[in-house]
Amino acid sequence: VASGSTQNINFLNSKYRTIKGQKFEDMDGDGIKENGDLGLEGWTIYIDYNSNNMLDAEEPFEITDEDGYYEFSGLVSDIYVLREVLPSGWIQTYPESGEQNVDLHNICSIEGKDFGNFKLGSLTLDKDVTITYTDSSPIMDQSFDVVLDGEYNDTIKDYSEGSKEAQFTGLLPGSHYFNEINIPDGYHFWGCFPNEDEQPQRGEVPS
């Protein structure tokens, strides 16, 4: 500073930023948060600094609370990409892009940066076989082909009279149907029980 001169020095300050949101279970898998879609506890939400779609050691993360809420605080003015760690057996239904992009240049706090997930369904087909007789000999060691949603999925193999199960997992949201094809000689389709306490649905198997 020269003798007799005056200089003005400015100090700039910026308020820390905050991001809030909720992780919820999308019960019908439609990508919309609705009544009955409750929060999910213990899920990891992270800031993906390098946009590689994975949580790296240097990246900040938060664990959702008992109601599914998370919060990032102490953030500086910037653009942030938020993602979640997706456990096995779940799919993400919201946001459609798979990430939340948040611009905090002109705002200090933002809420509603939610994530929705659907837990993939499973179906157990319990095959109850009643043996018929041909020439006084029991029919044994037969297989029953099961079709789920129009595609071949599994075979139930029965070695004697009794029940066997077929498991179908990883089912996406929506309605599903199953049926039998290639029924062995000596058997016919009698009906099915959608639930244990319901009356059987009887009918013929489509060709």
Side-chain angles (χ1 to χ4, degrees), residues 10 13 30 37 40 66 95 120 126 129 139 154 170 190:
N10 297 317
N13 296 83
D30 64 354
D37 291 344
L40 292 169
E66 60 182 4
L120 295 174
D126 186 2
V129 179
I139 299 174
D154 206 348
W190 185 83

Side-chain angles (χ1 to χ4, degrees), residues 48 64 70 137 144 183-184 187 191:
D48 193 2
T64 57
Y70 73 90
S137 299
F144 294 78
I183 298 178
Y187 294 85

Side-chain angles (χ1 to χ4, degrees), residues 5 17 34 46 54 60 89 99 104 107 110 121 157 188 198 203:
S5 66
R17 272 56 169 164
E34 301 165 309
Y46 66 97
M54 63 183 298
E99 62 188 36
L104 295 180
I107 56 175
I110 190 168
K157 197 168 185 63
H188 71 94
E198 293 185 8

Side-chain angles (χ1 to χ4, degrees), residues 28-204:
D28 57 7
D30 64 354
I32 301 173
K33 186 179 179 182
E34 301 165 309
N35 292 334
D37 291 344
L38 302 180
L40 292 169
E41 180 183 5
W43 287 60
T44 301
I45 310 297
Y46 66 97
I47 298 177
D48 193 2
Y49 280 137
N50 56 9
S51 297
N52 67 348
N53 201 21
M54 63 183 298
L55 176 59
D56 298 312
E58 71 279 5
E59 292 175 334
F61 66 90
E62 295 291 336
I63 306 297
T64 57
D65 65 17
E66 60 182 4
D67 295 315
Y69 291 102
Y70 73 90
E71 177 180 337
F72 289 96
S73 58
L75 302 175
V76 299
S77 176
D78 205 344
I79 298 175
Y80 296 91
V81 177
L82 273 61
R83 290 192 171 97
E84 65 178 2
V85 176
L86 188 64
S88 175
W90 292 77
I91 60 172
Q92 188 181 81
T93 60
Y94 182 82
E96 187 176 350
S97 65
E99 62 188 36
Q100 290 282 8
N101 287 275
V102 185
D103 189 343
L104 295 180
H105 283 110
N106 298 316
I107 56 175
C108 293
S109 181
I110 190 168
E111 300 182 0
K113 294 302 176 180
D114 301 333
F115 291 86
N117 295 80
F118 176 84
K119 187 174 184 179
L120 295 174
S122 63
L123 181 148
T124 299
L125 178 60
D126 186 2
K127 178 66 178 178
D128 188 1
V129 179
T130 300
I131 297 295
T132 61
Y133 291 86
T134 304
D135 298 330
S136 300
S137 299
I139 299 174
M140 304 176 68
D141 196 17
Q142 299 289 342
S143 62
F144 294 78
D145 295 327
V146 179
V147 172
L148 178 66
D149 294 338
E151 296 184 1
Y152 175 79
N153 289 85
D154 206 348
T155 297
I156 303 175
K157 197 168 185 63
D158 294 88
Y159 297 95
S160 62
E161 186 172 3
S163 297
K164 303 291 180 183
E165 289 186 350
Q167 296 281 343
F168 304 97
T169 59
L171 301 181
L172 295 172
S175 299
H176 299 274
Y177 65 93
F178 62 92
N179 216 328
E180 294 178 325
I181 61 173
N182 304 325
I183 298 178
D185 292 338
Y187 294 85
H188 71 94
F189 178 74
W190 185 83
C192 63
F193 295 81
N195 294 295
E196 292 182 359
D197 58 348
E198 293 185 8
Q199 294 296 314
Q201 297 178 0
R202 302 188 63 179
E204 298 296 327

